[in-house]
Amino acid sequence: MAAELPSKSPTIVLIVEDDTLLRMCVAEIVEEAGFAVIEAADADAAMALLESRLDIALLLTDIDMPGSMNGLQLAHAVRNRWPPIKILVVSGQVRLQPFELPQDSCFLPKPYQTAALVEALCTLAPPLGHPYREPSNVH
């Protein structure tokens, strides 16, 4: 009997959105696209998750949310502390220019079509397989 190759685990996406219903809807779309999902209601909860896990490969964050920082500030903090993480920033209130985004990240205006969201995520990271991420020593 031939040895089976280990299967790749799904890429983990951290979704940060303060609107619970919207976050649940986006999580369902992302999961159906083949990704694994972790959810956070604000940047503070997202940072706690990022500090406790090494397997998050992609951040999808809304800009306008309560807490100590908004989604754009979160995106820049993630880029500084965890450079390998891919970042997709979304907003229905703000239209960002490329120079406002962290390096190697994307912006998607709301409302967006499901296909556009999935395409943006797949462009940033494939749904299966994720690189190991070293713990951050920067605090």
Side-chain angles (χ1 to χ4, degrees), residues 1-29:
M1 180 157 45
E4 290 185 34
L5 294 174
S7 62
K8 289 185 176 182
S9 57
T11 298
I12 297 177
V13 179
L14 172 57
I15 298 172
V16 187
E17 169 65 61
D18 63 313
D19 182 316
T20 304
L21 292 177
L22 183 55
R23 187 174 65 245
M24 290 171 58
C25 181
V26 171
E28 185 176 328
I29 291 166

mmCIF file of all heavy atoms in Angstrom, residues 1-29:
data_model
loop_
_atom_site.group_PDB
_atom_site.id
_atom_site.type_symbol
_atom_site.label_atom_id
_atom_site.label_comp_id
_atom_site.label_asym_id
_atom_site.label_seq_id
_atom_site.Cartn_x
_atom_site.Cartn_y
_atom_site.Cartn_z
ATOM 1 N N MET A 1 0.845 -1.174 0.000
ATOM 2 C CA MET A 1 0.000 0.000 0.000
ATOM 3 C C MET A 1 0.897 1.246 0.000
ATOM 4 O O MET A 1 1.850 1.331 0.744
ATOM 5 C CB MET A 1 -0.914 -0.018 1.229
ATOM 6 C CG MET A 1 -1.793 1.169 1.272
ATOM 7 S SD MET A 1 -3.327 1.088 2.210
ATOM 8 C CE MET A 1 -2.987 0.330 3.737
ATOM 9 N N ALA A 2 0.581 2.207 -0.846
ATOM 10 C CA ALA A 2 1.369 3.428 -0.976
ATOM 11 C C ALA A 2 1.131 4.338 0.216
ATOM 12 O O ALA A 2 0.031 4.410 0.755
ATOM 13 C CB ALA A 2 1.002 4.161 -2.265
ATOM 14 N N ALA A 3 2.189 5.019 0.614
ATOM 15 C CA ALA A 3 2.070 5.967 1.724
ATOM 16 C C ALA A 3 1.282 7.187 1.254
ATOM 17 O O ALA A 3 1.454 7.662 0.137
ATOM 18 C CB ALA A 3 3.449 6.395 2.201
ATOM 19 N N GLU A 4 0.416 7.675 2.120
ATOM 20 C CA GLU A 4 -0.369 8.862 1.786
ATOM 21 C C GLU A 4 0.433 10.111 2.106
ATOM 22 O O GLU A 4 1.120 10.176 3.119
ATOM 23 C CB GLU A 4 -1.674 8.880 2.595
ATOM 24 C CG GLU A 4 -2.648 7.821 2.176
ATOM 25 C CD GLU A 4 -3.958 7.964 2.917
ATOM 26 O OE1 GLU A 4 -4.353 9.109 3.215
ATOM 27 O OE2 GLU A 4 -4.575 6.932 3.199
ATOM 28 N N LEU A 5 0.324 11.085 1.220
ATOM 29 C CA LEU A 5 0.946 12.370 1.473
ATOM 30 C C LEU A 5 0.125 13.116 2.514
ATOM 31 O O LEU A 5 -1.104 13.049 2.499
ATOM 32 C CB LEU A 5 1.009 13.205 0.190
ATOM 33 C CG LEU A 5 1.912 12.664 -0.903
ATOM 34 C CD1 LEU A 5 1.755 13.513 -2.161
ATOM 35 C CD2 LEU A 5 3.356 12.663 -0.454
ATOM 36 N N PRO A 6 0.797 13.818 3.425
ATOM 37 C CA PRO A 6 0.011 14.583 4.402
ATOM 38 C C PRO A 6 -0.788 15.672 3.698
ATOM 39 O O PRO A 6 -0.306 16.305 2.773
ATOM 40 C CB PRO A 6 1.074 15.181 5.324
ATOM 41 C CG PRO A 6 2.356 15.112 4.572
ATOM 42 C CD PRO A 6 2.222 13.994 3.574
ATOM 43 N N SER A 7 -2.011 15.859 4.140
ATOM 44 C CA SER A 7 -2.836 16.898 3.529
ATOM 45 C C SER A 7 -2.473 18.255 4.134
ATOM 46 O O SER A 7 -2.123 18.348 5.296
ATOM 47 C CB SER A 7 -4.320 16.615 3.748
ATOM 48 O OG SER A 7 -4.601 16.627 5.124
ATOM 49 N N LYS A 8 -2.549 19.258 3.302
ATOM 50 C CA LYS A 8 -2.277 20.606 3.788
ATOM 51 C C LYS A 8 -3.485 21.098 4.566
ATOM 52 O O LYS A 8 -4.623 20.836 4.208
ATOM 53 C CB LYS A 8 -2.003 21.551 2.612
ATOM 54 C CG LYS A 8 -0.693 21.298 1.926
ATOM 55 C CD LYS A 8 -0.460 22.357 0.879
ATOM 56 C CE LYS A 8 0.887 22.183 0.228
ATOM 57 N NZ LYS A 8 1.150 23.227 -0.757
ATOM 58 N N SER A 9 -3.228 21.839 5.624
ATOM 59 C CA SER A 9 -4.329 22.404 6.389
ATOM 60 C C SER A 9 -4.757 23.716 5.746
ATOM 61 O O SER A 9 -3.978 24.377 5.073
ATOM 62 C CB SER A 9 -3.907 22.622 7.837
ATOM 63 O OG SER A 9 -2.782 23.458 7.892
ATOM 64 N N PRO A 10 -6.010 24.088 5.957
ATOM 65 C CA PRO A 10 -6.493 25.343 5.357
ATOM 66 C C PRO A 10 -5.753 26.556 5.901
ATOM 67 O O PRO A 10 -5.359 26.595 7.064
ATOM 68 C CB PRO A 10 -7.969 25.403 5.767
ATOM 69 C CG PRO A 10 -8.324 24.047 6.231
ATOM 70 C CD PRO A 10 -7.053 23.402 6.691
ATOM 71 N N THR A 11 -5.581 27.550 5.057
ATOM 72 C CA THR A 11 -5.014 28.826 5.468
ATOM 73 C C THR A 11 -5.972 29.494 6.444
ATOM 74 O O THR A 11 -7.185 29.530 6.199
ATOM 75 C CB THR A 11 -4.796 29.719 4.233
ATOM 76 O OG1 THR A 11 -3.865 29.063 3.366
ATOM 77 C CG2 THR A 11 -4.265 31.086 4.615
ATOM 78 N N ILE A 12 -5.444 30.020 7.528
ATOM 79 C CA ILE A 12 -6.288 30.628 8.564
ATOM 80 C C ILE A 12 -6.397 32.129 8.347
ATOM 81 O O ILE A 12 -5.389 32.832 8.243
ATOM 82 C CB ILE A 12 -5.757 30.305 9.963
ATOM 83 C CG1 ILE A 12 -5.813 28.787 10.170
ATOM 84 C CG2 ILE A 12 -6.551 31.050 11.035
ATOM 85 C CD1 ILE A 12 -5.261 28.314 11.474
ATOM 86 N N VAL A 13 -7.647 32.596 8.285
ATOM 87 C CA VAL A 13 -7.966 34.004 8.093
ATOM 88 C C VAL A 13 -8.566 34.552 9.385
ATOM 89 O O VAL A 13 -9.529 33.994 9.909
ATOM 90 C CB VAL A 13 -8.970 34.199 6.936
ATOM 91 C CG1 VAL A 13 -9.318 35.673 6.764
ATOM 92 C CG2 VAL A 13 -8.430 33.612 5.640
ATOM 93 N N LEU A 14 -8.003 35.630 9.882
ATOM 94 C CA LEU A 14 -8.568 36.347 11.027
ATOM 95 C C LEU A 14 -9.453 37.459 10.492
ATOM 96 O O LEU A 14 -8.970 38.369 9.822
ATOM 97 C CB LEU A 14 -7.451 36.921 11.902
ATOM 98 C CG LEU A 14 -7.874 37.858 13.037
ATOM 99 C CD1 LEU A 14 -8.867 37.192 13.980
ATOM 100 C CD2 LEU A 14 -6.640 38.354 13.789
ATOM 101 N N ILE A 15 -10.752 37.359 10.763
ATOM 102 C CA ILE A 15 -11.721 38.359 10.317
ATOM 103 C C ILE A 15 -12.012 39.291 11.483
ATOM 104 O O ILE A 15 -12.434 38.849 12.550
ATOM 105 C CB ILE A 15 -13.026 37.699 9.829
ATOM 106 C CG1 ILE A 15 -12.738 36.798 8.629
ATOM 107 C CG2 ILE A 15 -14.078 38.760 9.493
ATOM 108 C CD1 ILE A 15 -13.922 35.959 8.196
ATOM 109 N N VAL A 16 -11.784 40.592 11.273
ATOM 110 C CA VAL A 16 -12.015 41.587 12.313
ATOM 111 C C VAL A 16 -13.099 42.544 11.819
ATOM 112 O O VAL A 16 -12.895 43.324 10.900
ATOM 113 C CB VAL A 16 -10.717 42.362 12.652
ATOM 114 C CG1 VAL A 16 -10.951 43.266 13.853
ATOM 115 C CG2 VAL A 16 -9.563 41.406 12.899
ATOM 116 N N GLU A 17 -14.259 42.432 12.441
ATOM 117 C CA GLU A 17 -15.446 43.207 12.046
ATOM 118 C C GLU A 17 -16.322 43.365 13.273
ATOM 119 O O GLU A 17 -16.642 42.373 13.932
ATOM 120 C CB GLU A 17 -16.188 42.462 10.929
ATOM 121 C CG GLU A 17 -17.560 42.979 10.589
ATOM 122 C CD GLU A 17 -17.557 44.389 10.015
ATOM 123 O OE1 GLU A 17 -16.955 44.606 8.950
ATOM 124 O OE2 GLU A 17 -18.180 45.267 10.653
ATOM 125 N N ASP A 18 -16.718 44.594 13.597
ATOM 126 C CA ASP A 18 -17.528 44.816 14.793
ATOM 127 C C ASP A 18 -19.005 44.501 14.598
ATOM 128 O O ASP A 18 -19.714 44.242 15.561
ATOM 129 C CB ASP A 18 -17.344 46.240 15.319
ATOM 130 C CG ASP A 18 -17.807 47.302 14.351
ATOM 131 O OD1 ASP A 18 -17.460 47.216 13.161
ATOM 132 O OD2 ASP A 18 -18.516 48.236 14.776
ATOM 133 N N ASP A 19 -19.495 44.480 13.378
ATOM 134 C CA ASP A 19 -20.884 44.137 13.093
ATOM 135 C C ASP A 19 -21.000 42.607 13.085
ATOM 136 O O ASP A 19 -20.524 41.937 12.172
ATOM 137 C CB ASP A 19 -21.289 44.723 11.745
ATOM 138 C CG ASP A 19 -22.740 44.458 11.394
ATOM 139 O OD1 ASP A 19 -23.212 43.313 11.601
ATOM 140 O OD2 ASP A 19 -23.402 45.381 10.897
ATOM 141 N N THR A 20 -21.647 42.065 14.117
ATOM 142 C CA THR A 20 -21.708 40.613 14.307
ATOM 143 C C THR A 20 -22.307 39.889 13.111
ATOM 144 O O THR A 20 -21.760 38.879 12.654
ATOM 145 C CB THR A 20 -22.514 40.272 15.579
ATOM 146 O OG1 THR A 20 -21.921 40.963 16.684
ATOM 147 C CG2 THR A 20 -22.509 38.780 15.855
ATOM 148 N N LEU A 21 -23.431 40.379 12.598
ATOM 149 C CA LEU A 21 -24.075 39.704 11.466
ATOM 150 C C LEU A 21 -23.203 39.740 10.213
ATOM 151 O O LEU A 21 -23.081 38.736 9.502
ATOM 152 C CB LEU A 21 -25.448 40.311 11.186
ATOM 153 C CG LEU A 21 -26.501 40.070 12.263
ATOM 154 C CD1 LEU A 21 -27.797 40.790 11.907
ATOM 155 C CD2 LEU A 21 -26.747 38.588 12.457
ATOM 156 N N LEU A 22 -22.587 40.863 9.954
ATOM 157 C CA LEU A 22 -21.699 40.979 8.801
ATOM 158 C C LEU A 22 -20.487 40.060 8.973
ATOM 159 O O LEU A 22 -20.065 39.388 8.034
ATOM 160 C CB LEU A 22 -21.263 42.427 8.608
ATOM 161 C CG LEU A 22 -20.381 42.706 7.395
ATOM 162 C CD1 LEU A 22 -21.027 42.215 6.104
ATOM 163 C CD2 LEU A 22 -20.083 44.190 7.302
ATOM 164 N N ARG A 23 -19.928 40.027 10.188
ATOM 165 C CA ARG A 23 -18.784 39.164 10.461
ATOM 166 C C ARG A 23 -19.146 37.699 10.231
ATOM 167 O O ARG A 23 -18.382 36.946 9.623
ATOM 168 C CB ARG A 23 -18.273 39.377 11.889
ATOM 169 C CG ARG A 23 -16.975 38.635 12.176
ATOM 170 C CD ARG A 23 -16.403 38.970 13.554
ATOM 171 N NE ARG A 23 -17.268 38.531 14.627
ATOM 172 C CZ ARG A 23 -17.896 39.344 15.483
ATOM 173 N NH1 ARG A 23 -17.768 40.649 15.396
ATOM 174 N NH2 ARG A 23 -18.658 38.850 16.437
ATOM 175 N N MET A 24 -20.321 37.288 10.664
ATOM 176 C CA MET A 24 -20.767 35.905 10.460
ATOM 177 C C MET A 24 -20.943 35.597 8.975
ATOM 178 O O MET A 24 -20.568 34.519 8.507
ATOM 179 C CB MET A 24 -22.072 35.660 11.227
ATOM 180 C CG MET A 24 -21.890 35.639 12.725
ATOM 181 S SD MET A 24 -23.465 35.612 13.641
ATOM 182 C CE MET A 24 -24.215 34.136 12.997
ATOM 183 N N CYS A 25 -21.502 36.538 8.243
ATOM 184 C CA CYS A 25 -21.705 36.364 6.799
ATOM 185 C C CYS A 25 -20.370 36.239 6.068
ATOM 186 O O CYS A 25 -20.177 35.350 5.239
ATOM 187 C CB CYS A 25 -22.518 37.531 6.252
ATOM 188 S SG CYS A 25 -22.849 37.430 4.491
ATOM 189 N N VAL A 26 -19.437 37.128 6.389
ATOM 190 C CA VAL A 26 -18.116 37.091 5.764
ATOM 191 C C VAL A 26 -17.403 35.792 6.133
ATOM 192 O O VAL A 26 -16.762 35.162 5.290
ATOM 193 C CB VAL A 26 -17.289 38.328 6.170
ATOM 194 C CG1 VAL A 26 -15.842 38.207 5.707
ATOM 195 C CG2 VAL A 26 -17.915 39.594 5.602
ATOM 196 N N ALA A 27 -17.517 35.375 7.386
ATOM 197 C CA ALA A 27 -16.883 34.126 7.824
ATOM 198 C C ALA A 27 -17.404 32.939 7.007
ATOM 199 O O ALA A 27 -16.622 32.076 6.592
ATOM 200 C CB ALA A 27 -17.128 33.898 9.311
ATOM 201 N N GLU A 28 -18.684 32.921 6.753
ATOM 202 C CA GLU A 28 -19.270 31.838 5.962
ATOM 203 C C GLU A 28 -18.714 31.840 4.533
ATOM 204 O O GLU A 28 -18.356 30.800 3.995
ATOM 205 C CB GLU A 28 -20.792 31.966 5.936
ATOM 206 C CG GLU A 28 -21.484 30.818 5.235
ATOM 207 C CD GLU A 28 -22.994 30.913 5.310
ATOM 208 O OE1 GLU A 28 -23.519 31.434 6.324
ATOM 209 O OE2 GLU A 28 -23.646 30.478 4.352
ATOM 210 N N ILE A 29 -18.623 33.011 3.931
ATOM 211 C CA ILE A 29 -18.075 33.129 2.573
ATOM 212 C C ILE A 29 -16.621 32.647 2.538
ATOM 213 O O ILE A 29 -16.218 31.891 1.653
ATOM 214 C CB ILE A 29 -18.162 34.592 2.079
ATOM 215 C CG1 ILE A 29 -19.611 35.000 1.853
ATOM 216 C CG2 ILE A 29 -17.339 34.797 0.800
ATOM 217 C CD1 ILE A 29 -19.821 36.498 1.697
#
